[in-house]
């Protein structure tokens, strides 16, 4: 038995349900199947479900009858779809089943699903795997997508710490490198900066008319900044609107900073521009936890 299979056995997982077989859900399905766990799957797109079953990573359909057999259910849907699915399936979910979602915002999902789970008598945890690509769909899914990556968990307001241990053990086959536990409010505040702002900036940046003439004049910087401009517009629209208050704060901040650079350029103030660039360099070092090392190197 391989290390992944041994890890799966140690969690005592027998059956896992995966709702939504796109990039995230499909990758969970493949990871658990590779670990020897029986996977039930569900997807509104019958082609995705058929592909997953044809590939062998999904054994059967996840529905009202099979969900009760699952030790773990991973819900990888848009926020409102997650809420709707949990509410619809709640009467059929077993009391011993752990349900974890993968939505990119946590306040609306957790607020609704914590209440539903408490009333129905099962355990729900908010989750957000910090992994992905600009690609989408089951074809882009892969078993090692989460290997070494962080996973954020959001527990109910009152919970037994053993719940987090249980979740970490249940997620072992996915291969996450670290876990963070936070509140819905803190998650959404941070994700507005680390993920959502980056997507908005990338989308706006690539709209410059110059983008259509860049071939032969671009390298790493262009690729890094535009990688996430090619996104699932429907999904990100919902995520942005669900977290609009936090995202607007971050947009206001970055636009104010950009104006400082613009003003320095217009005025030809080299010293000011140099200071702004140095501020950015130092901010990056501090954000990465490398500021102390940088100061030592300059001595």
């Amino acid at each position: 038995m391989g290390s992944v299979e041994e890890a799966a056995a140690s969690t005592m997982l027998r059956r896992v349900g995966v709702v939504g077989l796109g990039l995230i859900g499909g990758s969970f399905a493949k990871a658990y199947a590779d670990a020897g766990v029986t996977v039930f799957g569900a997807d509104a797109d019958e082609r995705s479900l058929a592909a997953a079953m044809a590939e062998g990573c999904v054994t059967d359909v996840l529905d009202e009858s099979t969900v009760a057999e699952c030790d773990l259910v991973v819900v990888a849907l848009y926020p409102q779809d997650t809420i709707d699915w949990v509410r619809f399936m709640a009467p059929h979910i077993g009391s011993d089943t752990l349900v974890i979602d993968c939505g990119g915002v946590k306040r609306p999902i957790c607020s609704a699903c914590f209440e539903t789970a408490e009333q129905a008598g099962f355990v729900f945890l908010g989750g957000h795997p910090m992994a992905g690509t600009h690609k989408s769909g089951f074809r882009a899914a892969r078993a090692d997508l989460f290997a070494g990556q962080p996973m954020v968990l959001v527990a109910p307001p009152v919970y037994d710490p053993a719940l987090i241990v249980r979740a970490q053990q249940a997620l072992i086959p996915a291969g996450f490198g670290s876990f963070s536990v936070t509140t819905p409010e803190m998650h959404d505040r941070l994700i507005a900066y680390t993920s959502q702002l980056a997507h908005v900036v990338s989308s706006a940046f690539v709209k410059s008319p110059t983008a259509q003439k860049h071939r032969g004049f671009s390298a790493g910087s262009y690729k890094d900044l535009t990688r996430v401009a090619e996104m699932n517009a429907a999904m990100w629209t919902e995520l942005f609107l669900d977290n609009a208050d936090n995202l607007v704060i971050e947009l206001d901040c970055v636009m104010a900073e950009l104006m400082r650079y613009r003003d320095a350029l217009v005025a030809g103030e080299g010293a000011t521009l140099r200071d702004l660039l140095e501020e950015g360099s130092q901010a990056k070092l501090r954000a990465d936890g490398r500021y102390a090392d940088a100061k030592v190197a300059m001595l």
Side-chain angles (χ1 to χ4, degrees):
M1 182 179 291
S3 58
V4 175
E5 292 174 324
E6 290 171 354
S10 72
T11 69
M12 301 302 290
L13 290 175
R14 297 168 299 134
R15 300 178 181 88
V16 169
V18 179
V19 189
L21 295 168
L23 172 66
I24 299 300
S27 294
F28 271 111
K30 291 183 178 185
Y32 281 101
D34 282 359
V37 179
T38 298
V39 178
F40 297 118
D43 197 289
D45 185 345
E46 294 182 359
R47 294 170 300 179
S48 294
L49 178 59
M53 294 183 72
E55 189 172 308
C57 64
V58 169
T59 301
D60 204 346
V61 176
L62 180 71
D63 56 20
E64 294 93 322
S65 61
T66 55
V67 71
E69 302 176 30
C70 295
D71 304 299
L72 170 70
V73 174
V74 177
V75 186
L77 301 173
Y78 295 3
Q80 187 58 50
D81 289 340
T82 295
I83 295 168
D84 293 343
W85 186 91
V86 171
R87 283 175 174 166
F88 174 79
M89 202 62 72
H92 309 285
I93 298 174
S95 59
D96 294 329
T97 301
L98 174 61
V99 180
I100 301 176
D101 90 285
C102 301
V105 291
K106 293 274 75 84
R107 286 178 295 174
I109 292 174
C110 289
S111 175
C113 292
F114 284 156
E115 180 180 358
T116 298
E118 183 177 9
Q119 292 174 349
F122 63 90
V123 178
F124 176 87
L125 272 179
H128 191 178
M130 296 289 99
T133 73
H134 63 282
K135 299 179 181 179
S136 61
F138 181 76
R139 288 186 177 182
R142 58 179 211 266
D144 64 348
L145 181 68
F146 310 114
Q149 301 302 311
M151 175 66 169
V152 178
L153 295 173
V154 181
V158 179
Y159 68 96
D160 185 336
L163 174 60
I164 301 303
V165 176
R166 177 187 174 191
Q168 291 173 335
Q169 291 177 338
L171 292 166
I172 285 175
F176 290 105
S178 64
F179 291 90
S180 300
V181 182
T182 188
T183 64
E185 293 75 20
M186 181 58 71
H187 170 276
D188 289 359
R189 180 72 185 90
L190 292 174
I191 215 69
Y193 173 74
T194 62
S195 177
Q196 295 182 345
L197 177 64
H199 281 76
V200 172
V201 170
S202 183
S203 179
F205 174 82
V206 81
K207 291 177 183 177
S208 166
T210 311
Q212 304 306 314
K213 308 172 185 177
H214 80 89
R215 294 170 185 79
F217 293 85
S218 59
S221 298
Y222 173 84
K223 292 177 181 178
D224 290 344
L225 194 49
T226 60
R227 181 181 65 84
V228 295
E230 185 181 347
M231 68 182 89
N232 181 330
M235 180 186 75
W236 283 102
T237 295
E238 185 172 346
L239 293 174
F240 291 161
L241 290 175
D242 280 341
N243 202 27
D245 54 345
N246 288 317
L247 183 53
V248 166
I249 290 172
E250 296 300 336
L251 282 169
D252 286 345
C253 180
V254 76
M255 288 191 293
E257 287 296 323
L258 286 172
M259 286 305 299
R260 295 176 68 198
Y261 289 85
R262 181 187 183 282
D263 290 346
L265 287 166
V266 170
E269 296 177 353
T272 300
L273 183 59
R274 185 169 56 250
D275 288 344
L276 290 170
L277 295 171
E278 184 60 30
E279 285 177 12
S281 294
Q282 297 303 314
K284 167 65 173 172
L285 293 172
R286 287 193 299 272
D288 291 351
R290 296 183 289 130
Y291 188 62
D293 293 340
K295 289 195 295 185
V296 171
M298 288 187 293
L299 296 178

